[in-house]
Amino acid sequence: MNIRCLPLAAALTLAVSLFSAVAQTAAVPPASGASATPRVKPVPRALSPTELRESASTPGDLRPEDPIKPQINIPLGRKPAVSLPQEPRAQRRAGSAAAGGINDASARCEAETDAQARIACRGKLAQTTPSR
């Protein structure tokens, strides 16, 4: 090592030792003792009945200024029934399934117990029902 670097190395060593000494003293917390209990919030004591009575407020003071407004109004009483005008019903043709009804004549024919009765019912149905 050169003699020119000797003062620089000495200054660097001195600075590191000073910083480490300061850091150790700042990091050490004050000795409070290992057996010291942690600080706990004190429990509030219970009030006696007379203290409770004195600290109570009157019921009228707790009421709000504006009364509560109901959001839903459900009438519970009976009201007279409103009569609606009678609408005339549409007249349906007899035997017509096109008017909204179901023509179950073929099912009735199939429900017959006798084979001859079924054939007769189908023939009768074919004569009365218009073809599509």
Side-chain angles (χ1 to χ4, degrees):
M1 193 152 116
N2 292 341
I3 294 192
R4 290 182 298 176
C5 295
L6 188 61
L8 180 63
L12 186 60
T13 306
L14 182 63
V16 169
S17 64
L18 285 176
F19 286 133
S20 65
V22 169
Q24 286 178 357
T25 58
V28 174
S32 61
S35 63
T37 59
R39 295 184 182 182
V40 179
K41 197 176 206 183
V43 179
R45 66 177 184 86
L47 297 176
S48 68
T50 55
E51 291 173 337
L52 283 173
R53 184 184 66 219
E54 296 299 324
S55 66
S57 60
T58 58
D61 295 341
L62 300 177
R63 292 188 182 141
E65 294 176 5
D66 296 330
I68 297 172
K69 296 175 183 146
Q71 295 179 1
I72 299 173
N73 186 9
I74 301 173
L76 298 176
R78 287 189 174 188
K79 291 187 177 180
V82 178
S83 62
L84 298 176
Q86 296 292 329
E87 296 180 10
R89 292 186 171 199
Q91 297 296 326
R92 190 172 73 184
R93 292 181 294 190
S96 172
I102 297 174
N103 190 358
D104 59 348
S106 62
R108 287 182 185 172
C109 289
E110 295 300 320
E112 293 287 336
T113 58
D114 187 22
Q116 292 294 330
R118 283 194 293 265
I119 292 171
C121 182
R122 285 183 203 142
K124 186 177 168 184
L125 185 62
Q127 290 175 357
T128 58
T129 306
S131 61
R132 293 183 189 203

